[in-house]
Amino acid sequence: MSELLSICQKPITADSNTSLDKIISILLKNNISRILLTEDNSNVGIITEKDIGLFLLSDDSEKNLDDIPASQLMNMFTSVDGSMSVEKCVEIMLEKNIGSLGVSSNANGLVGIVTKTDIVRYYSKNYSGKHNVGDLMTISYIAMNSDNSLKDIVSKMIEEKISRIFLKNEKGDPEGILTFRDLFHVALEQGNSDAVLDNSDGAISVIFTRKGFLSESGFGNTIVGKDVMTKSLESVDFEEDLAVACDVMAQNQINGIGVRIKDKLGGVLSKTDVLKAIYVENNSK
């Protein structure tokens, strides 16, 4: 069996007409970041956590999530032969800026899917001692105050085109991180409600129709970051072996990890950075 076939996973699928609220529920239930979409038992596309996140960040309609089919957001799906090297897959994923590839067999068709998570585990097993975290980390990172409204935080994520943002307290100390998955929980709670209760004014309660995360009058302006953020913030030292950081990301099932410099948050490391490490290692010889 090839290394690629040994690390790929069986994909979770859903019909392309499945509503967005059900797609989000499947993602959260299985703790995955993408679902293959099918029509008449044939693969027609893929929908990812990022696709949904970007949609939710910019959607200001009053359309409920159960009225939006997954096909509205799906993208084309790229597949490779199971005999291909993992390193070549990394090159394709970086070139196409995608987070997964289908893995096929001439005899059995699509047999699995390989994701950045699988690549991260592969790096941990095969590239230990090759790089330190500081070699690949991004030194600058985007942060906001945890007391900022969800609307303002989401606006910043759109402006910077990022899928996660660090949140700090009044003293400037990291307090948590807000990701697409945190927003999904809000979407399920609020997105299928025809009305949202606004208690920003203690004297009155006003009912507003759902207008999305950027709403001035709905939940986007009445929920603050610390109410929905992930409060645990995993981090590693910048001098640590990159393989150790891969283990932390894999074990905690997270897409990015904070990097400490002299015990202060000094940057961030993502799964994409790990793919770049593999690419650099195999193109510098």
Side-chain angles (χ1 to χ4, degrees):
M1 178 183 293
S2 71
E3 286 186 311
L4 180 57
L5 288 174
S6 70
I7 69 170
C8 71
Q9 309 292 324
K10 182 178 180 180
I12 291 179
T13 63
D15 188 271
S16 62
N17 289 317
T18 303
S19 62
L20 201 55
D21 63 329
K22 291 181 180 178
I23 291 291
I24 293 174
S25 294
I26 295 171
L27 289 172
L28 293 176
K29 179 181 178 181
N30 293 279
N31 199 18
I32 55 176
S33 59
R34 64 204 67 240
I35 296 174
L36 290 187
L37 298 178
T38 63
E39 289 180 9
D40 299 324
N41 295 319
S42 297
N43 298 310
V44 294
I46 188 170
I47 185 169
T48 71
E49 182 180 79
K50 186 173 184 178
D51 297 327
I52 300 171
L54 291 174
F55 172 79
L56 292 177
L57 291 183
S58 59
D59 177 47
D60 61 357
S61 72
E62 296 185 14
K63 201 170 186 179
N64 287 349
L65 296 178
D66 57 3
D67 292 328
I68 303 172
S71 58
Q72 183 176 324
L73 280 69
M74 78 176 180
N75 290 304
M76 296 296 293
F77 184 55
T78 302
S79 294
V80 298
D81 189 85
S83 62
M84 181 177 289
S85 70
V86 175
E87 286 72 18
K88 182 60 178 179
C89 288
V90 166
E91 188 175 335
I92 293 173
M93 291 167 75
L94 289 174
E95 179 184 337
K96 292 181 174 291
N97 192 28
I98 54 178
S100 62
L101 291 168
V103 180
S104 61
S105 162
N106 289 334
N108 302 308
L110 185 71
V111 294
I113 184 171
V114 62
T115 68
K116 288 181 181 179
T117 299
D118 302 315
I119 302 295
V120 163
R121 293 194 183 101
Y122 176 80
Y123 182 99
S124 177
K125 182 179 178 181
N126 295 277
Y127 286 84
S128 178
K130 296 292 185 180
H131 299 277
N132 289 336
V133 170
D135 297 336
L136 280 303
M137 65 176 279
T138 300
I139 296 177
S140 60
Y141 63 94
I142 307 300
M144 290 191 72
N145 193 290
S146 60
D147 285 322
N148 286 139
S149 71
L150 196 57
K151 176 181 71 67
D152 290 341
I153 294 172
V154 163
S155 296
K156 187 67 173 177
M157 293 173 77
I158 293 175
E159 177 186 343
E160 300 292 341
K161 297 180 180 179
I162 53 177
S163 58
R164 67 185 69 86
I165 188 166
F166 291 98
L167 298 180
K168 297 184 175 183
N169 58 25
E170 294 179 355
K171 296 180 180 180
D173 298 321
E175 195 172 29
I177 187 169
L178 186 71
T179 69
F180 283 155
R181 292 193 187 184
D182 298 313
L183 298 181
F184 289 168
H185 287 289
V186 179
L188 289 183
E189 292 172 3
Q190 305 284 3
N192 283 319
S193 299
D194 291 329
V196 177
L197 184 61
D198 183 346
N199 289 316
S200 58
D201 186 331
I204 58 173
S205 293
V206 182
I207 300 297
F208 291 101
T209 55
R210 185 186 77 83
K211 293 183 181 296
F213 286 89
L214 300 178
S215 171
E216 290 281 355
S217 56
F219 64 82
N221 206 35
T222 60
I223 297 175
V224 297
K226 64 183 178 184
D227 291 336
V228 297
M229 71 182 183
T230 298
K231 295 181 179 179
S232 60
L233 183 60
E234 299 293 336
S235 63
V236 293
D237 190 87
F238 80 107
E239 293 183 332
E240 186 62 85
D241 190 330
L242 185 58
V244 173
C246 289
D247 285 336
V248 175
M249 285 192 284
Q251 290 170 10
N252 290 277
Q253 297 181 306
I254 53 178
N255 294 320
I257 188 170
V259 180
R260 300 187 306 273
I261 301 178
K262 295 182 179 179
D263 291 326
K264 295 287 186 180
L265 185 65
V268 64
L269 181 80
S270 70
K271 289 179 178 177
T272 300
D273 295 324
V274 178
L275 267 66
K276 291 178 180 177
I278 295 176
Y279 179 82
V280 168
E281 182 66 25
N282 285 277
N283 286 273
S284 60
K285 298 177 180 179

